[in-house]
Amino acid sequence: MLLILTLIFASIGYVLFNYHKTRQKLLKIKSHFDGPESHYFWGTMPMFVGKSIPDIFDMVTGLHNIHGEDIVILAAFNELVLDLSSSKNVEKVLLAKSIRKSFAYDFMEPWLGTGLLISTGEKWFRRRKIITPTFHFKVLENFLDVFNKEADILVTKLERHAGKGEFDIYDYVTLYALDSICETSMGVQVHAQDDPNNEYAVAVKQMSTFILRRVFSVLRSFPSLFFLYPYAKEQKQVIMKLHNFTNSVIDSRRKLLEQEKSTSKVIFDLDEENMYSKRKMTFLDLLLNVTVDGKPLSREDIREEVDTFMFEGHDTTTSGISFTLWHLAKYQDVQQKLYEEINRVLGKDKTNAKLTNVEIQELEYLDMVVKESLRLIPPVPIIGRTLLEDMEMNGTTIPAGTTISIKIYNIHRNPKIWPDPERFDPERFSKTNESKRGPYDYIPFSAGPRNCIGQRYAMMELKVTLIKLLAKYNVLPGESMHKMRFKTDLVIRPDDGIPIKLALREP
Ligand code: HEM
């Protein structure tokens, strides 16, 4: 008995001794940075107790106002986290080879598999090479038809709010972006704008909520305990629905393409006329046509990429469009200047017609407005990495295994680069002002090899939507607009909608 007790005490002593040694090492690393106080065992966890999700967002982003550009956080049980916003260290991490995405991305894996966003190493490299041509500007031009059509529907749907009280624009834009991504990535029209209760649209929204809840859960560090979550079973069913839908679209589309190939002509099944865009190439078609070492991609390979587009390609643009409208509602002078540019370049009637890429490119002020909005509210405000090898930073060695948060939200508010950072000022993106900044001072689409593959797609979609909406409506602030707060999983969202008002413009 005495021997057992001795062994137990010796083991506890050994664990505590090692814990203490590790803590001393981490404190030494911390001395090269600044950072918040950390409890011996619970780390910075006490800071978050009893706080709401928007409070946590404010605290996490506010840390840089207190502790500077790069911060060391000693989280619970000696977990080392680095919060970076200085261009020199951000560049190092974004260009590093031995690195993987951090834990929060794992929560998306049951749905997205190891698609482009999550995969690493050789798999990522090969896929990126295959998928890059699908974002060729010629392919994107094809998608303009979809954005034009869906944006016209959005404009019509919003008519019911013209001249009335405040309402939440975010949900309308979500449905619009979902319709657009379904059609461009899969060639399927889910008509989410007409039927917000569409099964697929609802499932996508549910998955986003599950991911958000998990990021903020206390159990998040223990993936094997996921079954304890009250919504674990529900998530499984939702993912099954999402996968079944994508699989069925892939199978139908593959069959259609094979029929086309064998008869050397395009076949249209009349029953599917409404479901599939006919001659328009979609991401899915391009993936179905790809071969690697002479073999086509498997259904699972294709599904994870299409699902990744579905996720990355609609929540992000929804956030970009909605928060730009929020800024325009707040800054009426900017909106007026933009409206005048739209009228001058496109003419009043043109905005009702199909916008072309050439026309969109001519709107320089629009470009500046969108960029400034993506600066202040970057749709992906924080990205995460885990170091797989040691890395030198601030004159010390950051060990492999460290979690790195790249705070895009804070990079874009660095007062050394952006004087009076909270002020919304599109002139920051005039050609002269833009040329004064470095490549890592403004990274809404990230930078380096893992940057956003969809950025041109996104800019195009944002611009078409804004032109169409502003041509018809004056966007006004809602009374409760100042109450708007943020929450974020991978994408930044309003905690409780974006309240705006609309007034019809003179015809
Ligand atoms: C305003 C809209 C968008 C913003 C701000 C945005 C931002 C980003 C950022 C910051 C990343 C890097 C993520 C990380 O490192 O973890 C990323 C990656 C990615 N984005 Fe976007 N994105 C947008 C729209 C889109 C669209 C429309 C698509 C597809 C249609 C898309 C597809 C992707 C993919 C596939 C990746 C992973 C790329 C890789 O790792 O190779 N994004 N995006």
Side-chain angles (χ1 to χ4, degrees):
M1 182 68 179
L2 190 66
L3 182 69
I4 295 175
L5 279 177
T6 314
L7 276 175
I8 292 174
F9 280 117
S11 311
I12 294 174
Y14 180 73
V15 170
L16 286 177
F17 174 70
N18 273 336
Y19 186 87
H20 186 73
K21 238 172 65 182
T22 310
R23 187 159 178 91
Q24 295 310 308
K25 227 168 82 185
L26 298 183
L27 285 172
K28 222 164 150 190
I29 295 174
K30 193 178 171 199
S31 69
H32 291 255
F33 296 78
D34 193 1
E37 287 296 308
S38 156
H39 181 274
Y40 194 82
F41 287 114
W42 310 120
T44 45
M45 212 193 267
M47 263 168 50
F48 301 109
V49 174
K51 297 281 188 285
S52 67
I53 290 178
D55 286 344
I56 294 177
F57 182 86
D58 291 345
M59 273 169 62
V60 167
T61 50
L63 283 176
H64 294 269
N65 300 332
I66 309 165
H67 301 288
E69 287 175 293
D70 299 328
I71 303 174
V72 159
I73 292 172
L74 293 187
F77 308 119
N78 278 343
E79 190 198 351
L80 179 64
V81 179
L82 246 69
D83 271 16
L84 301 181
S85 73
S86 77
S87 53
K88 84 173 178 302
N89 287 332
V90 166
E91 175 175 9
K92 255 186 208 171
V93 174
L94 288 180
L95 296 183
K97 292 225 159 57
S98 278
I99 208 151
R100 70 176 202 88
K101 298 281 172 106
S102 60
F103 72 90
Y105 296 75
D106 297 343
F107 306 152
M108 298 169 206
E109 205 176 315
W111 174 24
L112 308 182
T114 44
L116 207 53
L117 178 69
I118 300 175
S119 62
T120 48
E122 186 59 22
K123 174 166 179 179
W124 169 79
F125 184 77
R126 276 173 165 237
R127 288 285 174 85
R128 178 91 187 198
K129 219 166 126 190
I130 293 172
I131 294 171
T132 297
T134 64
F135 284 89
H136 190 276
F137 76 95
K138 282 238 165 89
V139 180
L140 295 184
E141 292 245 313
N142 264 334
F143 297 159
L144 262 178
D145 282 354
V146 175
F147 300 149
N148 269 291
K149 182 187 73 179
E150 295 299 339
D152 284 338
I153 296 176
L154 175 64
V155 168
T156 312
K157 294 278 168 205
L158 291 173
E159 269 168 7
R160 72 184 71 149
H161 294 288
K164 305 261 170 61
E166 71 172 30
F167 70 100
D168 173 23
I169 185 75
Y170 203 82
D171 279 348
Y172 282 97
V173 178
T174 307
L175 298 173
Y176 154 75
L178 198 56
D179 274 342
S180 300
I181 194 71
C182 279
E183 205 169 340
T184 51
S185 69
M186 296 192 272
V188 175
Q189 294 185 20
V190 292
H191 300 296
Q193 295 201 82
D194 288 330
D195 172 20
N197 295 324
N198 169 289
E199 209 185 20
Y200 186 74
V202 171
V204 170
K205 215 171 158 188
Q206 277 174 304
M207 249 335 271
S208 298
T209 317
F210 293 148
I211 294 167
L212 181 81
R213 279 157 77 179
R214 213 168 154 193
V215 168
F216 288 99
S217 144
V218 277
L219 285 179
R220 69 176 198 192
S221 307
F222 308 99
S224 51
L225 297 182
F226 180 60
F227 71 94
L228 293 176
Y229 284 71
Y231 55 88
K233 211 165 137 201
E234 203 188 339
Q235 173 173 310
K236 206 169 158 189
Q237 282 160 355
V238 170
I239 291 177
M240 205 153 75
K241 255 189 232 166
L242 289 166
H243 284 173
N244 286 345
F245 181 78
T246 322
N247 280 337
S248 73
V249 175
I250 295 171
D251 291 346
S252 320
R253 199 77 181 174
R254 198 193 288 276
K255 236 195 252 156
L256 197 74
L257 287 182
E258 274 163 10
Q259 271 178 292
E260 282 184 9
K261 263 188 208 155
S262 67
T263 55
S264 311
K265 64 177 180 142
V266 183
I267 292 176
F268 298 126
D269 182 340
L270 283 181
D271 291 332
E272 291 183 336
E273 204 171 351
N274 196 29
M275 195 168 175
Y276 295 109
S277 320
K278 296 173 187 168
R279 298 287 294 153
K280 295 272 176 281
M281 265 293 200
T282 64
F283 292 130
L284 175 55
D285 294 340
L286 293 154
L287 291 172
L288 284 167
N289 279 318
V290 159
T291 50
V292 177
D293 301 331
K295 283 194 227 123
L297 294 175
S298 72
R299 189 166 87 168
E300 277 62 41
D301 287 341
I302 295 177
R303 194 192 66 214
E304 55 188 22
E305 297 307 345
V306 172
D307 285 342
T308 297
F309 287 157
M310 289 304 305
F311 170 72
E312 265 290 314
H314 93 279
D315 261 2
T316 48
T317 52
T318 297
S319 174
I321 294 165
S322 308
F323 285 116
T324 308
L325 291 170
W326 183 72
H327 278 127
L328 291 172
K330 270 173 83 177
Y331 298 89
Q332 290 293 314
D333 51 334
V334 174
Q335 187 178 163
Q336 183 57 28
K337 193 169 165 187
L338 180 53
Y339 178 62
E340 281 164 18
E341 180 185 64
I342 293 172
N343 274 344
R344 192 176 61 252
V345 177
L346 299 174
K348 281 206 167 177
D349 335 322
K350 259 315 250 161
T351 45
N352 294 324
K354 203 188 122 202
L355 300 168
T356 66
N357 200 22
V358 176
E359 287 165 337
I360 295 166
Q361 295 306 327
E362 276 179 55
L363 297 161
E364 284 179 15
Y365 192 62
L366 173 62
D367 191 58
M368 288 157 65
V369 168
V370 171
K371 283 179 173 161
E372 175 66 345
S373 184
L374 298 182
R375 176 185 74 83
L376 274 172
I377 311 183
V380 181
I382 303 173
I383 56 179
R385 298 289 189 268
T386 302
L387 292 187
L388 297 178
E389 270 178 10
D390 293 356
M391 182 180 273
E392 291 303 308
M393 235 181 247
N394 288 21
T396 186
T397 305
I398 310 298
T402 301
T403 302
I404 311 262
S405 283
I406 296 181
K407 308 282 270 300
I408 299 179
Y409 187 87
N410 295 93
I411 295 171
H412 291 179
R413 283 174 161 71
N414 186 339
K416 287 190 214 152
I417 312 291
W418 310 95
D420 193 5
E422 294 295 335
R423 192 166 50 92
F424 181 78
D425 178 11
E427 293 305 323
R428 297 180 200 268
F429 290 91
S430 68
K431 287 208 170 69
T432 342
N433 288 336
E434 236 180 349
S435 62
K436 292 180 200 153
R437 289 187 292 267
Y440 293 87
D441 293 332
Y442 178 70
I443 53 164
F445 295 103
S446 186
R450 298 297 299 251
N451 70 353
C452 175
I453 200 169
Q455 53 187 291
R456 279 195 301 187
Y457 175 110
M459 286 303 270
M460 203 183 246
E461 180 176 349
L462 257 73
K463 288 178 178 178
V464 171
T465 323
L466 292 166
I467 295 170
K468 294 266 182 188
L469 286 174
L470 291 187
K472 174 103 183 232
Y473 304 111
N474 183 10
V475 183
L476 299 162
E479 286 79 15
S480 54
M481 201 153 162
H482 60 282
K483 292 192 199 148
M484 209 269 301
R485 299 189 69 195
F486 300 116
K487 61 182 179 188
T488 188
D489 39 303
L490 185 66
V491 175
I492 198 166
R493 305 158 199 280
D495 181 47
D496 190 19
I498 299 186
I500 59 158
K501 291 198 244 176
L502 295 177
L504 274 177
R505 292 193 189 272
E506 295 289 311

